[in-house]
Amino acid sequence: MFSLKGDAHKVFLRLKKTIHNGDIIRETKEFKEIEEIQTLYQSLDSDTLQLIHYRMIKEYNGSGIIPILVSSAPWLLLLFSKQLANYLFKDGSWLWAGFCIVYLLTLGISVMIHFREKAWAAFHMEIIQDILKERKNKKDQGQSTN
């Protein structure tokens, strides 16, 4: 199921296929995982959940050293560009091609990991916020009826 429309569209296509096959959406692996996460977070008290939320905010805003790597590596290469060029291009060597492939692969994988980490942190934050908001609403409704 190859699509250039992104992960959200892939989820839609899997849902569509699941429904078309007559299967239950909640029985798919992805949605069972979501329910497990929700169940775990719902089992925790609100104060602990708030602490976890703060930690997720930290993860979301500063996930890893990947942004530093992406922004600083080109500057480092620029600093040593003359020496690097002499080494990579000496005697008609194809060493530069290998270097470029390894560098671009490392860069691409690093960026993908960074945004995947950020997406998971946002996912957990949203679940936690929903649980805390639901608890607050229940508490407020309980107080207004008394």
Side-chain angles (χ1 to χ4, degrees), residues 10 17-18 40-41 58 64-65 76-77 80 94 97 103 130:
K10 289 176 188 173
K17 183 179 177 183
T18 302
L40 174 70
Y41 286 152
K58 184 243 178 238
I65 62 165
L76 184 64
L77 294 175
F80 299 105
W94 280 86
Y103 178 74
D130 287 347

Side-chain angles (χ1 to χ4, degrees), residues 44-59:
L44 301 173
D45 64 281
S46 295
D47 291 336
T48 303
L49 210 51
Q50 189 64 50
L51 291 173
I52 294 169
H53 184 258
Y54 293 146
R55 178 63 187 197
M56 291 297 171
I57 290 171
K58 184 243 178 238
E59 292 299 320

